[in-house]
Amino acid sequence: MSFNDMFRRRLVVVFTVFLVAVLGIESRFVYLQVVARTTLVNKANQQLETESIPIKAKRGMIQDSTGRVLAQDVATWSLGLYMKEVKDPQLTAARIAPVIKASVSQLEKQIRSTSSSFIYLKKQVGVEEYDALRQLDVPGIVLDKGYRRVYPLGALMSSVVGITGSDNQGLSGIEFQYDKELGGTDGRHTYKVSGSNPGEPAVTEDVLEAVPGKNIVLTIDSNIQYFAQQALMETLKTYDGKRATCTILDPKTDAVLAMVDVPSVDPEHWQDAPMSSLSEKAISANYEPGSVFKAATSVAGLETGTITLQSTFYSGGSLKVFDTVVHDLYPYGTMNLYAMLQHSSNVAFCQLSMKIGTTRFYDCLSRYGFGKPTGIDLPGEESGILLPTSLWSKTTLPTMGFGQGVAVTAIQMANFYATIANGGLMQRPYVVDHIVDASGTSQRTDTPGVVGQLFKPETAKAVLEGLHGVVQKDVGVFSAYIPGYEVAGKTGTAQIAAPGGGYLTDGSYVFSFAGILTANDPRVVVFLSVHETRKGARTSFLVAGPTFKKIALQLIQYLRLKP
């Protein structure tokens, strides 16, 4: 055999072997990529572990009626460690600890002792720390963006706006009532990492973006809120009072223009205050109203036809009713309804309520909203106390005529006076005007809502005129008189019910004033109460009347009210 033949034969053998090898490899590729692909992908996925980290949604803002921000989220970060990527716990702790001002040994212990795949080392990392941590070349570091709630106006409106907890969830006020709308929807980072080779970085990542919360716009004007708050604080300081509230309504819509509760709580340091201080007392505190309730008795007397404006009652200064003696400050003699209101005669209103009668008086008060919540869009509203007639004592009916034996909330009284100012048409008070989503679309709430025409416009007009007669230059509550303006109003000096029955004997009172600006064109209703003063004057005439006047003068200027 020649050399050429031998070479040619060997070349054929080599080529054949090479061809077989290539065909084998190709066949294997086809098998792996086509035939066995699903099986191999499943096996690979079994070796990957899926981990996820939540993406916090930005909570919506709360704004006042002028657009001023009352509550908002500011960006913050939480420092976490993705444990699958941590190769050296000691080195990791040594690099991180100085930045977050932590102990290296304690941080290392925390890292080594965890059994979780992800841990947080510090929440609410500051901007400087965040920048420094981003520069560290440490495997596993995760800077999880979150938010911290801030309240730019501090305690000015804290009981209405409310507060949030450590997880940014609403705990009171608007923050709680509208938590679903404000909270948004959290997103999520999802990682797939090697379960068989710790230290390898994530191989894939899916991101579901968070949906921010909606903005809440209130009916409250922070300027009006400030006027009222300052006036109440001055009164508390002067008379060493325990607390005070003021609710200001627009009687045409029942929108709340201000709702003040002092002393107030700093919403960013609420943990330092008792939980009871977080509730809005204007809606959550029941108390006997005293003489401001005489407006309700007046309406009931006229509506039931028990009296007319010409009807009269007599006060000789006192009246014995069963085993109780009802007193007036002076023996006023014969009075019609307007004189009864001007002199705030307990004796006359006691006679009026008895003349109306138990069943009719109860039916009227229940229809006027006493003994039931107003439905205001805030959490924790109390309903007041209007006992069923079966539980009334002999003296309940006569004393209820001048505001004893019944308990109210400030919002109930404010709403009733707003109904008088609105011609007998009662509406539901509300603090949220509208809600704005991320696209800027505005959506109104289901308020305002009409409760109904509770009494005739003629009755409302007559009682409003009577209340106007109370606030005159030299008659009635002239401490609330404003020259050139027709102010309607009524004071109340109420005893405080004792826990075991009866009333406190330590000289504690609730001083109230309900005012309407103006009687000829009602634009605002102001209801304020000052609780348990410990020094100085002991009448609403001297405590509540002047406080109202301070607020009213600023309202006249700010709202440009006409005489």
Side-chain angles (χ1 to χ4, degrees), residues 4 48 107 127 182 188 210-211 218 231 236 238 262 269 304 350 352 413 435 484 487 496-497 542:
N4 289 338
L48 295 176
L107 195 60
V127 176
L182 287 165
R188 188 163 292 275
V211 179
L218 305 186
L236 284 188
T238 300
V262 293
H269 300 92
T304 57
C350 168
L352 174 54
M413 289 307 307
I435 301 173
V487 179
I496 299 175
L542 294 173

PDB file of all heavy atoms in Angstrom, residues 4 48 107 127 182 188 210-211 218 231 236 238 262 269 304 350 352 413 435 484 487 496-497 542:
ATOM      1  N   ASN A   4       0.389   7.387  -0.003  1.00  0.00           N
ATOM      2  CA  ASN A   4      -0.777   8.210  -0.280  1.00  0.00           C
ATOM      3  C   ASN A   4      -2.074   7.522   0.088  1.00  0.00           C
ATOM      4  O   ASN A   4      -2.994   8.132   0.639  1.00  0.00           O
ATOM      5  CB  ASN A   4      -0.814   8.628  -1.749  1.00  0.00           C
ATOM      6  CG  ASN A   4       0.285   9.649  -2.064  1.00  0.00           C
ATOM      7  OD1 ASN A   4       0.773  10.332  -1.157  1.00  0.00           O
ATOM      8  ND2 ASN A   4       0.672   9.732  -3.337  1.00  0.00           N
ATOM      9  N   LEU A  48     -32.728  27.872  42.933  1.00  0.00           N
ATOM     10  CA  LEU A  48     -32.832  29.301  43.200  1.00  0.00           C
ATOM     11  C   LEU A  48     -33.891  29.541  44.267  1.00  0.00           C
ATOM     12  O   LEU A  48     -34.943  28.897  44.263  1.00  0.00           O
ATOM     13  CB  LEU A  48     -33.218  30.065  41.933  1.00  0.00           C
ATOM     14  CG  LEU A  48     -32.212  30.056  40.788  1.00  0.00           C
ATOM     15  CD1 LEU A  48     -32.802  30.767  39.588  1.00  0.00           C
ATOM     16  CD2 LEU A  48     -30.898  30.685  41.196  1.00  0.00           C
ATOM     17  N   LEU A 107     -23.030  44.468  66.539  1.00  0.00           N
ATOM     18  CA  LEU A 107     -23.528  44.341  65.176  1.00  0.00           C
ATOM     19  C   LEU A 107     -23.142  42.988  64.582  1.00  0.00           C
ATOM     20  O   LEU A 107     -23.950  42.326  63.920  1.00  0.00           O
ATOM     21  CB  LEU A 107     -22.971  45.481  64.317  1.00  0.00           C
ATOM     22  CG  LEU A 107     -23.651  45.713  62.960  1.00  0.00           C
ATOM     23  CD1 LEU A 107     -25.119  46.040  63.145  1.00  0.00           C
ATOM     24  CD2 LEU A 107     -22.961  46.851  62.217  1.00  0.00           C
ATOM     25  N   VAL A 127     -29.749  61.248  55.943  1.00  0.00           N
ATOM     26  CA  VAL A 127     -29.203  61.501  54.609  1.00  0.00           C
ATOM     27  C   VAL A 127     -27.689  61.284  54.575  1.00  0.00           C
ATOM     28  O   VAL A 127     -27.164  60.661  53.645  1.00  0.00           O
ATOM     29  CB  VAL A 127     -29.544  62.941  54.155  1.00  0.00           C
ATOM     30  CG1 VAL A 127     -28.888  63.246  52.816  1.00  0.00           C
ATOM     31  CG2 VAL A 127     -31.052  63.127  54.057  1.00  0.00           C
ATOM     32  N   LEU A 182     -55.224  57.306  52.391  1.00  0.00           N
ATOM     33  CA  LEU A 182     -53.913  57.926  52.563  1.00  0.00           C
ATOM     34  C   LEU A 182     -52.772  56.936  52.370  1.00  0.00           C
ATOM     35  O   LEU A 182     -51.698  57.298  51.889  1.00  0.00           O
ATOM     36  CB  LEU A 182     -53.810  58.535  53.973  1.00  0.00           C
ATOM     37  CG  LEU A 182     -54.613  59.802  54.240  1.00  0.00           C
ATOM     38  CD1 LEU A 182     -54.712  60.064  55.742  1.00  0.00           C
ATOM     39  CD2 LEU A 182     -53.975  60.999  53.546  1.00  0.00           C
ATOM     40  N   ARG A 188     -43.132  45.806  45.747  1.00  0.00           N
ATOM     41  CA  ARG A 188     -42.275  44.726  46.219  1.00  0.00           C
ATOM     42  C   ARG A 188     -41.106  44.504  45.258  1.00  0.00           C
ATOM     43  O   ARG A 188     -41.284  44.502  44.046  1.00  0.00           O
ATOM     44  CB  ARG A 188     -43.085  43.430  46.359  1.00  0.00           C
ATOM     45  CG  ARG A 188     -42.347  42.291  47.027  1.00  0.00           C
ATOM     46  CD  ARG A 188     -43.313  41.232  47.500  1.00  0.00           C
ATOM     47  NE  ARG A 188     -44.136  41.720  48.596  1.00  0.00           N
ATOM     48  CZ  ARG A 188     -43.776  41.692  49.878  1.00  0.00           C
ATOM     49  NH1 ARG A 188     -42.585  41.211  50.212  1.00  0.00           N
ATOM     50  NH2 ARG A 188     -44.580  42.140  50.802  1.00  0.00           N
ATOM     51  N   ALA A 210     -44.710  50.718  44.023  1.00  0.00           N
ATOM     52  CA  ALA A 210     -45.725  51.105  44.997  1.00  0.00           C
ATOM     53  C   ALA A 210     -46.661  52.152  44.398  1.00  0.00           C
ATOM     54  O   ALA A 210     -46.267  52.939  43.543  1.00  0.00           O
ATOM     55  CB  ALA A 210     -45.066  51.657  46.249  1.00  0.00           C
ATOM     56  N   VAL A 211     -47.900  52.138  44.846  1.00  0.00           N
ATOM     57  CA  VAL A 211     -48.884  53.139  44.427  1.00  0.00           C
ATOM     58  C   VAL A 211     -49.051  54.137  45.572  1.00  0.00           C
ATOM     59  O   VAL A 211     -49.449  53.755  46.673  1.00  0.00           O
ATOM     60  CB  VAL A 211     -50.244  52.496  44.108  1.00  0.00           C
ATOM     61  CG1 VAL A 211     -51.262  53.570  43.706  1.00  0.00           C
ATOM     62  CG2 VAL A 211     -50.093  51.459  43.008  1.00  0.00           C
ATOM     63  N   LEU A 218     -58.889  69.252  53.665  1.00  0.00           N
ATOM     64  CA  LEU A 218     -59.872  69.515  54.705  1.00  0.00           C
ATOM     65  C   LEU A 218     -60.657  70.796  54.445  1.00  0.00           C
ATOM     66  O   LEU A 218     -60.252  71.649  53.649  1.00  0.00           O
ATOM     67  CB  LEU A 218     -59.180  69.626  56.068  1.00  0.00           C
ATOM     68  CG  LEU A 218     -58.297  68.453  56.509  1.00  0.00           C
ATOM     69  CD1 LEU A 218     -57.807  68.682  57.938  1.00  0.00           C
ATOM     70  CD2 LEU A 218     -59.030  67.130  56.412  1.00  0.00           C
ATOM     71  N   ALA A 231     -56.816  82.244  71.277  1.00  0.00           N
ATOM     72  CA  ALA A 231     -57.791  82.790  72.222  1.00  0.00           C
ATOM     73  C   ALA A 231     -58.051  81.810  73.367  1.00  0.00           C
ATOM     74  O   ALA A 231     -58.122  82.213  74.541  1.00  0.00           O
ATOM     75  CB  ALA A 231     -59.095  83.119  71.500  1.00  0.00           C
ATOM     76  N   LEU A 236     -57.255  79.838  79.041  1.00  0.00           N
ATOM     77  CA  LEU A 236     -56.796  78.792  79.960  1.00  0.00           C
ATOM     78  C   LEU A 236     -55.716  79.314  80.893  1.00  0.00           C
ATOM     79  O   LEU A 236     -55.702  79.010  82.089  1.00  0.00           O
ATOM     80  CB  LEU A 236     -56.258  77.590  79.180  1.00  0.00           C
ATOM     81  CG  LEU A 236     -57.274  76.649  78.524  1.00  0.00           C
ATOM     82  CD1 LEU A 236     -56.562  75.418  77.976  1.00  0.00           C
ATOM     83  CD2 LEU A 236     -58.360  76.229  79.499  1.00  0.00           C
ATOM     84  N   THR A 238     -55.211  82.490  81.777  1.00  0.00           N
ATOM     85  CA  THR A 238     -55.763  83.511  82.677  1.00  0.00           C
ATOM     86  C   THR A 238     -56.533  82.890  83.834  1.00  0.00           C
ATOM     87  O   THR A 238     -56.395  83.312  84.988  1.00  0.00           O
ATOM     88  CB  THR A 238     -56.689  84.464  81.904  1.00  0.00           C
ATOM     89  OG1 THR A 238     -55.933  85.099  80.871  1.00  0.00           O
ATOM     90  CG2 THR A 238     -57.292  85.509  82.826  1.00  0.00           C
ATOM     91  N   VAL A 262     -57.481  72.318  73.219  1.00  0.00           N
ATOM     92  CA  VAL A 262     -56.249  72.655  73.936  1.00  0.00           C
ATOM     93  C   VAL A 262     -56.380  72.220  75.393  1.00  0.00           C
ATOM     94  O   VAL A 262     -57.479  72.236  75.956  1.00  0.00           O
ATOM     95  CB  VAL A 262     -55.935  74.172  73.849  1.00  0.00           C
ATOM     96  CG1 VAL A 262     -55.582  74.562  72.436  1.00  0.00           C
ATOM     97  CG2 VAL A 262     -57.084  75.022  74.362  1.00  0.00           C
ATOM     98  N   HIS A 269     -44.282  63.754  68.586  1.00  0.00           N
ATOM     99  CA  HIS A 269     -43.795  63.237  69.870  1.00  0.00           C
ATOM    100  C   HIS A 269     -44.987  62.807  70.730  1.00  0.00           C
ATOM    101  O   HIS A 269     -45.011  63.026  71.936  1.00  0.00           O
ATOM    102  CB  HIS A 269     -42.966  64.298  70.604  1.00  0.00           C
ATOM    103  CG  HIS A 269     -41.754  64.741  69.833  1.00  0.00           C
ATOM    104  ND1 HIS A 269     -41.784  65.825  68.976  1.00  0.00           N
ATOM    105  CD2 HIS A 269     -40.497  64.238  69.764  1.00  0.00           C
ATOM    106  CE1 HIS A 269     -40.588  65.976  68.422  1.00  0.00           C
ATOM    107  NE2 HIS A 269     -39.799  65.034  68.875  1.00  0.00           N
ATOM    108  N   THR A 304     -93.848  72.882  69.161  1.00  0.00           N
ATOM    109  CA  THR A 304     -94.973  72.071  69.644  1.00  0.00           C
ATOM    110  C   THR A 304     -96.222  72.904  69.874  1.00  0.00           C
ATOM    111  O   THR A 304     -97.291  72.358  70.202  1.00  0.00           O
ATOM    112  CB  THR A 304     -94.592  71.367  70.960  1.00  0.00           C
ATOM    113  OG1 THR A 304     -94.193  72.352  71.934  1.00  0.00           O
ATOM    114  CG2 THR A 304     -93.464  70.377  70.749  1.00  0.00           C
ATOM    115  N   CYS A 350     -87.521  76.064  83.302  1.00  0.00           N
ATOM    116  CA  CYS A 350     -88.011  74.895  84.031  1.00  0.00           C
ATOM    117  C   CYS A 350     -89.523  74.758  83.825  1.00  0.00           C
ATOM    118  O   CYS A 350     -90.037  73.675  83.537  1.00  0.00           O
ATOM    119  CB  CYS A 350     -87.669  75.063  85.518  1.00  0.00           C
ATOM    120  SG  CYS A 350     -88.470  73.896  86.613  1.00  0.00           S
ATOM    121  N   LEU A 352     -91.237  76.053  81.355  1.00  0.00           N
ATOM    122  CA  LEU A 352     -91.510  75.794  79.943  1.00  0.00           C
ATOM    123  C   LEU A 352     -91.362  74.321  79.610  1.00  0.00           C
ATOM    124  O   LEU A 352     -92.229  73.732  78.938  1.00  0.00           O
ATOM    125  CB  LEU A 352     -90.577  76.636  79.063  1.00  0.00           C
ATOM    126  CG  LEU A 352     -90.643  76.363  77.549  1.00  0.00           C
ATOM    127  CD1 LEU A 352     -92.068  76.489  77.026  1.00  0.00           C
ATOM    128  CD2 LEU A 352     -89.699  77.285  76.789  1.00  0.00           C
ATOM    129  N   MET A 413     -73.846  70.587  69.958  1.00  0.00           N
ATOM    130  CA  MET A 413     -74.339  71.926  70.244  1.00  0.00           C
ATOM    131  C   MET A 413     -74.025  72.882  69.095  1.00  0.00           C
ATOM    132  O   MET A 413     -74.874  73.693  68.696  1.00  0.00           O
ATOM    133  CB  MET A 413     -73.731  72.453  71.537  1.00  0.00           C
ATOM    134  CG  MET A 413     -74.234  71.781  72.805  1.00  0.00           C
ATOM    135  SD  MET A 413     -76.046  71.741  72.986  1.00  0.00           S
ATOM    136  CE  MET A 413     -76.516  73.435  72.770  1.00  0.00           C
ATOM    137  N   ILE A 435     -60.892  64.548  48.048  1.00  0.00           N
ATOM    138  CA  ILE A 435     -59.740  63.635  48.013  1.00  0.00           C
ATOM    139  C   ILE A 435     -59.141  63.700  46.619  1.00  0.00           C
ATOM    140  O   ILE A 435     -59.870  63.682  45.616  1.00  0.00           O
ATOM    141  CB  ILE A 435     -60.168  62.193  48.352  1.00  0.00           C
ATOM    142  CG1 ILE A 435     -60.816  62.153  49.744  1.00  0.00           C
ATOM    143  CG2 ILE A 435     -58.980  61.234  48.298  1.00  0.00           C
ATOM    144  CD1 ILE A 435     -61.419  60.805  50.099  1.00  0.00           C
ATOM    145  N   GLY A 484     -71.631  97.598  65.875  1.00  0.00           N
ATOM    146  CA  GLY A 484     -71.825  97.603  64.437  1.00  0.00           C
ATOM    147  C   GLY A 484     -72.186  96.248  63.845  1.00  0.00           C
ATOM    148  O   GLY A 484     -72.533  96.167  62.665  1.00  0.00           O
ATOM    149  N   VAL A 487     -74.690  90.304  66.586  1.00  0.00           N
ATOM    150  CA  VAL A 487     -74.221  89.017  67.107  1.00  0.00           C
ATOM    151  C   VAL A 487     -75.370  88.332  67.835  1.00  0.00           C
ATOM    152  O   VAL A 487     -76.060  88.956  68.657  1.00  0.00           O
ATOM    153  CB  VAL A 487     -73.034  89.198  68.066  1.00  0.00           C
ATOM    154  CG1 VAL A 487     -72.577  87.847  68.612  1.00  0.00           C
ATOM    155  CG2 VAL A 487     -71.887  89.903  67.360  1.00  0.00           C
ATOM    156  N   ILE A 496     -70.523  70.219  86.863  1.00  0.00           N
ATOM    157  CA  ILE A 496     -69.910  69.006  86.312  1.00  0.00           C
ATOM    158  C   ILE A 496     -70.387  67.806  87.103  1.00  0.00           C
ATOM    159  O   ILE A 496     -70.292  67.774  88.340  1.00  0.00           O
ATOM    160  CB  ILE A 496     -68.379  69.114  86.357  1.00  0.00           C
ATOM    161  CG1 ILE A 496     -67.914  70.305  85.508  1.00  0.00           C
ATOM    162  CG2 ILE A 496     -67.733  67.826  85.854  1.00  0.00           C
ATOM    163  CD1 ILE A 496     -66.436  70.582  85.586  1.00  0.00           C
ATOM    164  N   ALA A 497     -70.919  66.826  86.396  1.00  0.00           N
ATOM    165  CA  ALA A 497     -71.443  65.630  87.057  1.00  0.00           C
ATOM    166  C   ALA A 497     -70.332  64.874  87.770  1.00  0.00           C
ATOM    167  O   ALA A 497     -69.239  64.688  87.235  1.00  0.00           O
ATOM    168  CB  ALA A 497     -72.115  64.731  86.027  1.00  0.00           C
ATOM    169  N   LEU A 542     -68.063  86.280  81.996  1.00  0.00           N
ATOM    170  CA  LEU A 542     -66.725  86.834  82.109  1.00  0.00           C
ATOM    171  C   LEU A 542     -65.640  85.939  81.513  1.00  0.00           C
ATOM    172  O   LEU A 542     -64.553  86.425  81.209  1.00  0.00           O
ATOM    173  CB  LEU A 542     -66.403  87.112  83.583  1.00  0.00           C
ATOM    174  CG  LEU A 542     -67.240  88.214  84.247  1.00  0.00           C
ATOM    175  CD1 LEU A 542     -66.950  88.278  85.739  1.00  0.00           C
ATOM    176  CD2 LEU A 542     -66.980  89.560  83.595  1.00  0.00           C
TER     177      LEU A 542
END
